Amino acid sequence: MPTLLRVHSWYSFLRGLPSPKALAEAAARAGYTAVLLADHHGLTGALEFQDACDALGLQPLLGLELHLQRGEERSLPTTVCLVAMDETGWANLCRLSSLAQTRPDRDLEHGVALAEVCSHSAHLLCLLDGDSLTEKPAGAWLDALKAAFGDRLVVAVNRHRPETNAEALTEARAHALSTVAGHRVYYLEPDDAERQQTLTGIRVNRPRDAVGSADLAPPQAWLPSAAELWDRFADVEGLTDADDLAARCTLRIPRDRHLFPALDLPAGETPE
């Protein structure tokens, strides 16, 4: 599949509308062979999504939409999307999700420090949305991500806002970053956009009509067919095939054994 479908389920609380199973079923009907679930902050829907994809013959890619702690570097992107390549990558996703959800201020939107992302980067792909390179000049944060992820750092060019595409491609190539065609899904049908706007109003505590575009899902964030999505990028050359990224991801969340957190235990003791 030339394009990467990145979906967000109802476990992206007050952002995504469909269940993980509904997203998998819709993606299968639409002709996709691999689909990335990347919910904001958490991994709650991962096993449900893996099971649904298995039943449908889809390859599940399991990721996390992680919000970054802005600090003093104002050019830092709001989020990065991290994708587990194997069990080591999954362990790092779990650690980063835990860091986000155990902040002392309990505000998930304040995010995780970039240093933590870089120190837990092993066996993860990192997807940067093209807007991250075009809205503000890239700062030291990009050098840090390049050093941590190497060729596992990829720019996702989404045609939610077509006017940013050429600039995003130019910036990615100027920084020697590979690019993949992508699309982000928060609901299944175009008519669901108003429901997503209502959820966003609840999340940011504003009247629905006062919600800003920065808080909403991207425009046209419904699930298109695989053929329709690829047609949007037919005029763009030099993109990485999403199948090549999917082939690097072999994660299967195991069901036949316990997965204990890494703990510093006294000598002679085990987690059991």
Side-chain angles (χ1 to χ4, degrees):
M1 187 64 57
T3 51
L4 182 64
L5 189 71
R6 189 194 327 175
V7 299
H8 308 274
S9 79
W10 60 21
Y11 292 111
S12 290
F13 297 113
L14 298 179
R15 283 185 167 91
L17 272 64
S19 69
K21 182 179 179 181
L23 286 164
E25 291 172 343
R29 290 193 302 270
Y32 293 92
T33 57
V35 185
L36 167 61
L37 176 70
D39 279 320
H40 290 254
H41 310 303
L43 302 165
T44 309
L47 193 56
E48 178 184 342
F49 185 71
Q50 177 178 280
D51 289 347
C53 286
D54 286 349
L56 295 162
L58 288 174
Q59 180 187 358
L61 306 177
L62 302 177
L64 176 68
E65 195 79 18
L66 189 69
H67 291 236
L68 296 180
Q69 184 176 306
R70 299 303 286 270
E72 296 181 359
E73 187 165 2
R74 307 312 298 173
S75 67
L76 196 69
T78 302
T79 67
V80 292
C81 178
L82 304 173
V83 187
M85 302 172 72
D86 54 24
E87 286 188 29
T88 299
W90 176 250
N92 279 323
L93 279 190
C94 291
R95 176 60 176 161
L96 289 166
S97 177
S98 295
L99 287 172
Q101 299 192 48
T102 57
R103 286 181 56 91
D105 59 12
R106 307 299 294 170
D107 191 334
L108 300 180
E109 302 294 312
H110 287 172
V112 173
L114 179 64
E116 293 284 3
V117 175
C118 293
S119 66
H120 294 89
S121 62
H123 298 246
L124 294 175
L125 299 177
C126 181
L127 300 179
L128 274 179
D129 285 316
D131 289 351
S132 300
L133 300 178
T134 60
E135 291 178 347
K136 297 178 181 177
W141 62 267
L142 183 57
D143 292 332
L145 289 177
K146 289 172 71 175
F149 288 91
D151 68 353
R152 293 174 287 116
L153 179 62
V154 180
V155 175
V157 179
N158 305 298
R159 284 209 150 163
H160 297 291
R161 298 181 178 88
E163 67 276 6
T164 67
N165 282 351
E167 188 178 354
L169 286 166
T170 299
E171 287 295 316
R173 289 163 183 167
H175 292 285
L177 297 172
S178 60
T179 53
V180 65
H183 184 75
R184 300 179 65 175
V185 173
Y186 286 86
Y187 44 88
L188 297 181
E189 302 293 340
D191 290 345
D192 292 332
E194 291 191 3
R195 291 175 57 209
Q196 203 279 330
Q197 186 174 356
T198 299
L199 287 181
T200 303
I202 296 169
R203 177 169 57 83
V204 300
N205 196 27
R206 292 181 197 151
R208 202 185 77 154
D209 293 340
V211 173
S213 60
D215 293 313
L216 290 168
Q220 302 179 22
W222 62 82
L223 200 154
S225 71
E228 176 188 349
L229 184 55
W230 179 236
D231 283 345
R232 298 182 190 179
F233 293 92
D235 60 326
V236 182
E237 297 181 353
L239 295 171
T240 298
D241 194 313
D243 281 344
D244 294 339
L245 295 182
R248 301 172 71 177
C249 300
T250 60
L251 171 66
R252 304 292 307 163
I253 302 176
R255 286 181 168 275
D256 57 350
R257 59 187 172 85
H258 296 295
L259 294 176
F260 293 106
L263 302 173
D264 294 325
L265 298 173
E269 294 191 11
T270 69
E272 290 88 348

